[in-house]
Amino acid sequence: MLAAPGVGIRRVALPRLLGSLLLVTAAGVSGVGAAQSGAAADSRSTPTGTSPRPLGRTVPAPARVKPAGSPYSLTAKTAIRVESDSAEARRIGDYLAGLLRPSTGHPLPVTGRGADGIRLRLDPQDGGAGDEGYTLRSDPESVTLTARTPAGLFHGVQTLRQLLPARVEEKSRQKGPWQVAGGTIEDVPRYAYRSAMLDVSRHFFSVAEVKRYIDQLALYKLNTLHLHLSDDQGWRIAIDSWPRLATYGGRTEVGGGTGGHYTKDDYKEIVRYASSRYLEVVPEIDLPGHTNAALASYAELNCDGVAPPLYTGTDVGFSSLCVPKAVTYGFVDDVIRELAALTPGKYLHIGGDEAHSTSHDDYVTFMNKAQAVVGRYGKTVIGWHQLTGATPVAGAVAQYWGYDRTGAAEREQVAAAAAKGTKLVLSPADRSYLDMKYDKDTELGLSWAGYVSVRRSYDWDPAVYLDGAPAGSVLGVEAPLWSETLTNSDEIERMAFPRLPGVAELGWSPASTHDWDAYKVRLGAQGPRFSALGIDYYRAPEVPWAAE
Ligand code: TNX
């Protein structure tokens, strides 16, 4: 069923398409059109070229772009000015300096107020930009980022990064010039929940590998990292009251490798690092199915009192907690309590998918009890959309992972719950699952939901995706990455790039910017940036990749 991991995806040699695109000046054009025509204008902007990349030619597309005037030039004299007393703003200034110093070779001191340089302004009165929005103004004297919140400032920094040449991402000194096109960007996200999921159970990923992914998510303005911390093949988080979950249940993975788990300190470090990149970690313990690793670790959790062996295959749906046993709820309470204590964020995910070995009545009983436990420890519950077959509590979030062959009854059940107030995170398997193969030649990944091309992963509208679900019920989108076939960062990146930025754009950019033909050019311009970041992305033939 699975492709052999470790085998590289076939590389596709690409014709250079950009050279044939018309040269269009972005000056004087406002709105997204600027970003689109700007993309074409960049055909002259080779890595050694001197014209700045057009304003707005970023992923995600900004909400509003007004090119105007001459560019700003970052030079040896540029200072990063933090115009706020906030320690967080200062940290963002240091982060930006850390990004720009190695490649530009400029000192970029992080200092206080002034009229010139790169100015970071935190303005709590600037209500227009919402919780995560920002404004960027660029002219020959300065680039000024203004936001109401540090998160907004941080997202603005990601835009600034993308307006500079791709080689700014290199770790060694590169040739300038370092210009930012003149004009104004006013930007604000479409959805509050913009997420990527990493399955650390089927294969375990180190703290360093997770941090690397976090940095990549931040570049595309995602604000949530959902970690799938337990499954049949491995339990990945230390739970003090049930220590064997991690020490025994975490000692293998798909294919029989040594697996691993996060200590509580490891996990806190992931949460801290994510929060420094303005991402909230949503931990998932998958219940009541997908629990073989727990059942193997503690015999008493099994209805027959017999622990099954550890599992290293890739089947699903064969395990279940014992719903009638009292010990099950002591277990659930302990796990959720300890996990909630590790979670500064709002949400806790309890899985609930593919419980094929749990009867319907047992499923409903179990999920209703588990939801109450999450509430007791002060968290908002998220479950895979099967949760809507139980009784979602007020405030519950259902994560839709259906695909084109999902039956009408199942879709209607989710839509009906949404109409009654359950919020939705959309992660349709045949659109946003990053573990689906791109096409028949993709070596890594699965194909149960079909092939998911770059276009397919981008070309859908979350607001109207699920018939009957009110547009207002959509909290946001997620791109899950299941790891049955993935063993390291390189393989993660081969599947996530270039599809992840498209899902990120669906979460951030206004629907009015949605246009595959424009998007594919902006995405193609990300190719050299991926390369500078050491991301060995899949050169999808449908994307006009910019010259490296
Ligand atoms: C379905 S999506 C699953 C996972 C698998 C994935 C592989 C979902 C909630 N469950 O258990 O890893 O397919 O694509």
Side-chain angles (χ1 to χ4, degrees):
M1 159 193 186
L2 300 179
V7 185
I9 288 178
R10 186 175 63 94
R11 294 293 199 73
V12 183
L14 281 170
R16 292 290 317 111
L17 295 180
L18 279 184
S20 64
L21 289 171
L22 261 181
L23 191 76
V24 182
T25 174
V29 186
S30 68
V32 198
Q36 292 161 12
S37 54
D42 200 52
S43 58
R44 62 196 156 156
S45 185
T46 62
T48 50
T50 53
S51 49
R53 57 188 48 220
L55 204 66
R57 211 202 51 177
T58 59
V59 177
R64 277 176 297 280
V65 182
K66 287 201 189 81
S70 303
Y72 175 77
S73 292
L74 189 156
T75 68
K77 291 197 203 96
T78 298
I80 295 178
R81 301 191 172 279
V82 180
E83 308 202 347
S84 156
D85 297 332
S86 140
E88 253 185 287
R90 167 79 200 202
R91 239 190 300 122
I92 294 168
D94 290 337
Y95 163 89
L96 176 60
L99 284 173
L100 303 180
R101 280 176 190 144
S103 53
T104 63
H106 298 322
L108 300 169
V110 181
T111 65
R113 245 161 254 288
D116 63 342
I118 298 174
R119 305 166 67 203
L120 307 183
R121 295 180 55 228
L122 209 47
D123 183 355
Q125 309 315 320
D126 189 349
D131 285 346
E132 294 188 286
Y134 66 91
T135 303
L136 181 150
R137 285 192 189 82
S138 170
D139 60 40
E141 195 177 13
S142 72
V143 174
T144 304
L145 285 169
T146 309
R148 203 170 63 72
T149 65
L153 214 44
F154 184 81
H155 296 317
V157 160
Q158 303 310 321
T159 298
L160 171 58
R161 224 177 136 175
Q162 289 196 18
L163 293 176
L164 287 162
R167 61 191 183 280
V168 80
E169 309 292 349
E170 297 280 356
K171 291 290 163 279
S172 62
R173 191 161 178 173
Q174 306 292 313
K175 250 185 87 197
W178 306 103
Q179 291 192 318
V180 179
T184 304
I185 291 177
E186 288 172 348
D187 208 4
V188 63
R190 181 181 186 188
Y191 291 111
Y193 194 98
R194 305 180 307 279
S195 178
M197 187 210 80
L198 186 61
D199 171 9
V200 297
S201 177
R202 272 50 177 274
H203 281 98
F204 182 64
F205 298 98
S206 68
V207 173
E209 287 168 324
V210 175
K211 285 183 176 178
R212 183 175 162 88
Y213 202 43
I214 287 171
D215 279 329
Q216 293 164 358
L217 306 181
L219 176 57
Y220 295 99
K221 300 187 174 71
L222 294 181
N223 64 1
T224 306
L225 172 66
H226 166 191
L227 284 178
H228 186 74
L229 290 167
S230 72
D231 213 301
D232 292 316
Q233 297 87 346
W235 186 286
R236 307 299 181 201
I237 177 75
I239 299 293
D240 298 335
S241 49
W242 297 74
R244 268 174 66 83
L245 290 171
T247 59
Y248 180 75
R251 67 162 63 156
T252 193
E253 59 188 3
V254 168
T258 50
H261 71 269
Y262 306 120
T263 65
K264 286 195 170 175
D265 282 345
D266 288 340
Y267 191 76
K268 286 178 192 160
E269 175 58 14
I270 291 172
V271 170
R272 184 203 64 78
Y273 193 81
S275 121
S276 78
R277 270 66 175 149
Y278 296 88
L279 280 99
E280 199 166 290
V281 177
V282 174
E284 178 190 354
I285 294 297
D286 203 347
L287 305 167
H290 290 276
T291 44
N292 187 76
L295 297 167
S297 304
Y298 288 96
E300 64 264 43
L301 292 176
N302 296 271
C303 281
D304 63 3
V306 179
L310 292 171
Y311 182 70
T312 60
T314 59
D315 288 346
V316 297
F318 62 87
S319 58
S320 178
L321 290 176
C322 186
V323 173
K325 266 190 169 179
V327 66
T328 296
Y329 303 96
F331 165 81
V332 168
D333 196 282
D334 288 337
V335 168
I336 290 178
R337 184 185 66 251
E338 291 194 33
L339 204 54
L342 289 170
T343 303
K346 178 177 178 190
Y347 298 107
L348 201 146
H349 201 308
I350 56 171
D353 59 314
E354 298 174 322
H356 305 321
S357 301
T358 317
S359 73
H360 176 69
D361 287 352
D362 276 0
Y363 180 82
V364 172
T365 302
F366 179 86
M367 291 305 278
N368 290 350
K369 285 191 180 186
Q371 289 184 87
V373 179
V374 174
R376 194 176 317 139
Y377 293 112
K379 298 299 171 189
T380 297
V381 73
I382 306 186
W384 296 106
H385 74 249
Q386 280 74 13
L387 174 64
T388 59
T391 317
V393 295
V397 177
Q399 181 170 355
Y400 184 74
W401 62 280
Y403 64 127
D404 51 4
R405 274 175 285 160
T406 296
E410 193 169 330
R411 287 171 190 264
E412 281 160 17
Q413 176 185 288
V414 180
K420 279 200 267 164
T422 297
K423 294 284 188 223
L424 301 179
V425 169
L426 298 178
S427 57
D430 58 343
R431 299 284 185 171
S432 77
Y433 268 34
L434 302 176
D435 61 312
M436 290 300 121
K437 291 175 182 292
Y438 295 95
D439 61 30
K440 66 177 178 25
D441 296 322
T442 310
E443 298 282 354
L444 299 167
L446 308 175
S447 57
W448 63 264
Y451 301 129
V452 178
S453 67
V454 178
R455 178 169 188 163
R456 191 166 171 78
S457 66
Y458 166 81
D459 228 351
W460 57 287
D461 181 355
V464 297
Y465 181 77
L466 195 63
D467 272 351
S473 67
V474 178
L475 199 58
V477 295
E478 180 177 288
L481 186 48
W482 301 96
S483 64
E484 284 93 337
T485 66
L486 312 174
T487 66
N488 57 38
S489 287
D490 196 43
E491 292 170 356
I492 287 174
E493 289 157 23
R494 208 77 66 80
M495 300 309 277
F497 293 91
R499 291 178 292 193
L500 177 83
V503 180
E505 173 148 324
L506 292 179
W508 181 280
S509 305
S512 59
T513 65
H514 192 95
D515 175 2
W516 165 252
D517 287 326
Y519 173 71
K520 72 180 179 191
V521 179
R522 278 185 292 111
L523 179 62
Q526 297 286 311
R529 193 166 302 269
F530 298 153
S531 295
L533 288 164
I535 296 171
D536 188 14
Y537 62 102
Y538 168 58
R539 271 76 168 169
E542 61 199 315
V543 178
W545 296 107
E548 299 275 332

